[in-house]
Amino acid sequence: MAERRLQASRQRGVKAMTAAAGSAGQVAVTLLLSALLAPGSTYVLDDSDGLGREFDGIGALSGGGPNFGASLHILKVEIGGDGQTTDGTEPSHMHYALDENYFRGYEWWLMKEAKKRNPNITLVGLPWSFPGWLGKGFNWPYVNLQLTAYYVMTWIVGAKHYHDLDIDYIGIWNERAFDTDYIKLRRMLNYQGLQRVKIIASDNLWEPISASMLLDSELMKVIDVIGAHYPGTHTVKDARLTEKKLWSSEDFSTLNSDTGAGCWGRILNQNYVNGYMTSTIAWNLVASYYEQLPYGRCGLMTAQEPWSGHYVVEAPIWISAHTTQFTQPGWYYLKTVGHLEKGGSYVALTDGLGNLTIIIETMSHKHSTCIRPLLPYFNVSHQFATFVLKGSFSEIPELQVWYTKLGKRSKRYLFKQLDSLWLLDRGGSFTLELQEDELFTLTTLTTGNKGSYPLPPNSQPFPCVYEDNFNVDYPFFSEAPNFADQTGVFEYFMNIEDPGEHRFTLRQVLNQRPITWAADAFNTISIIGDYKWSNLTITCDVYIETSEKGGVFIAGRVNKGGILIRSARGVFFWIFANGSYRVTGDLAGWIIYTSGYADIKAKKWYTLTLTIKGGSSSGMLNGKLLWKNVSVNFPKNGWAAVGTHSFEFAQFDNFRVEATC
């Protein structure tokens, strides 16, 4: 038997050396020959002295199928709270105290799709904002602890009841203050039979939550995971002293270029090597929002053209696969992990059943800088690294090899399978020649697969002429396609008492300001279209529901969104229930171009038309010119938009934009 294995080893060596076609083939040769070429450092991988921490998985805002692409282990979703949370608002399942609807937004669909692809995916929920009624007039979710805990609990129960989704972990309040008495209300979960749901705290910094836990035994007992955001691969002493699981519960947020891929590859290894973090979760998986919003293309992949169907499977997807396809939650890190002598790092994990996965990265400082925090300078250089397998791994006969090289297109490889490495006649050791910006996975698992996918449709700009009458009997999603709510929530609405033209509309449904996470505007607004639009005509039927104080607008050349929405400039055409109209150069209404009075009142439909051409603009009410020749020199381009003067009910119908493209 041993003789046959030795013969196979020699045959594989000849095969690898003769298959060297191109750079990746040369890498395969290097795996076998580098030990003969130069001395290098030696790294021992051994389980004789026990194992390290349990691995909890790699995650993001979506899940992938096993052994195909990203193959994520964790899906973390926002518990929509009606407020702006970076690039838009997500609707709450309870806009008002007596309101419950578990079909709003896209997160329910997202979780179900993730479960279809990976039934074992871990589901995590975390609030960013909260509906305003919970604050009882204050911008604070802890006014009534029991009420807020009940609100979150209903989301968990609703996920199971309406979608058969079991939530595994729940967070407190994203990157904001925590209340220890609120966290201790986990007993409410227990009373509802939700003992299996674990708590992560505090999705901010390592402190003060870690110190608070060390000083409070009850708090220590109810928290299962300490989650920190953008930890820079390091933890603090107090966090380690708790002996709790440590997660980088939000990380990455970096443009998905090769530098972003290098960032992701480096932190996936070094979050454990430096900080003992057993899970890293990327914000975000799919960049599916207008690119000019904050953090454009900061997803592991890009799909920001629903009108064309175009998408790009970016390099960070394949960086993820180096870990996710060859590990599972419940595996354990080895204690013998660390840094390479000339830069880079290595980790190794095992399932305890004989399988071993080794991930080695040599990401340079220049090509692995994340958006945050500041990355101290380090150097990575050409090196030889010898790995020696000991303990239960000493008899492993063969390792599969997967390889990524970031950088110049001519030398770039993403998740390429190389010839396997045969170890029987090598004493359980092998040597690699390592260059900058490389990633190797060596594993006993043979299930790795760089899945193929259809060629995506060609990229196309947003249509120059776009219209939507919102006539949808049973909408699959609560929001209209392509509209991106930036403050407020705009949903499909059916006017039961109106059998005519406006039976189906788009309605702004918030009547009070939410408990905010970001700097939401004081007006509601939903943007749409191509940020490059300059000359355009927008027409929309509008319906003010609030007497006397109500107001609505249509707008063009809107230049900001997301967490910057409050300072958005553009051309805004407002009408008000008190019979006035106004044209402003900003959402806040400080820059007034012109104003006047017209026959306008609440609870009546009007058609507004806004035309912007060059440095001039004009507006019509019900097809008649209301104002003209208003000078608009800034901004030069931006999105179209609709919205309301305050958090008030209002409706929109027969939206149409015609832009010069």
Side-chain angles (χ1 to χ4, degrees), residues 568-583:
R569 295 285 301 274
V571 183
F572 296 81
F573 177 17
W574 310 74
I575 63 169
F576 298 92
N578 64 5
S580 67
Y581 72 87
R582 193 178 305 156
V583 182

Side-chain angles (χ1 to χ4, degrees), residues 51-62:
L51 299 172
R53 293 189 174 222
E54 183 180 4
F55 176 64
D56 295 307
I58 306 302
L61 296 183
S62 184

Side-chain angles (χ1 to χ4, degrees), residues 45 236 327 374 461 657:
L45 302 176
V236 297
T327 58
L374 181 68
V657 59

Side-chain angles (χ1 to χ4, degrees), residues 171-245:
I172 308 304
W173 188 13
N174 183 65
E175 297 175 349
R176 296 294 181 266
F178 62 87
D179 183 293
T180 56
D181 290 331
Y182 172 72
I183 298 173
K184 292 174 185 177
L185 287 177
R186 90 136 292 138
R187 60 181 177 270
M188 291 182 66
L189 299 178
N190 297 343
Y191 294 154
Q192 290 293 322
L194 299 172
Q195 292 88 347
R196 67 179 298 278
V197 179
K198 298 178 180 179
I199 289 181
I200 303 177
S202 64
D203 280 294
N204 199 345
L205 304 175
W206 294 117
E207 298 289 15
I209 188 65
S210 299
S212 299
M213 293 168 66
L214 292 173
L215 295 171
D216 187 331
S217 59
E218 186 182 355
L219 184 66
M220 176 79 82
K221 183 178 179 180
V222 299
I223 293 175
D224 299 280
V225 174
I226 303 178
H229 288 194
Y230 308 95
T233 77
H234 292 279
T235 47
V236 297
K237 183 179 179 181
D238 281 353
R240 296 192 298 272
L241 286 175
T242 66
E243 298 183 352
K244 293 288 185 176
K245 289 179 177 292

Side-chain angles (χ1 to χ4, degrees), residues 353-383:
L353 302 174
N355 284 307
L356 176 69
T357 291
I358 308 161
I359 304 117
I360 303 159
E361 61 82 19
T362 58
M363 299 303 163
S364 64
H365 184 277
K366 181 179 180 181
H367 296 126
S368 72
T369 302
C370 305
I371 197 169
R372 67 176 78 88
L374 181 68
L375 180 63
Y377 182 76
F378 61 87
N379 186 59
V380 176
S381 59
H382 173 241
Q383 60 191 303

Side-chain angles (χ1 to χ4, degrees), residues 63 157 199 303 311 375 381 432 450 456 477:
V157 173
I199 289 181
Y311 63 90
L375 180 63
S381 59
L432 302 180
K450 186 172 183 179
F477 292 109

Side-chain angles (χ1 to χ4, degrees), residues 578-600:
N578 64 5
S580 67
Y581 72 87
R582 193 178 305 156
V583 182
T584 69
D586 63 334
L587 176 62
W590 293 104
I591 304 170
I592 300 175
Y593 290 144
T594 189
S595 62
Y597 290 91
D599 183 14
I600 304 165

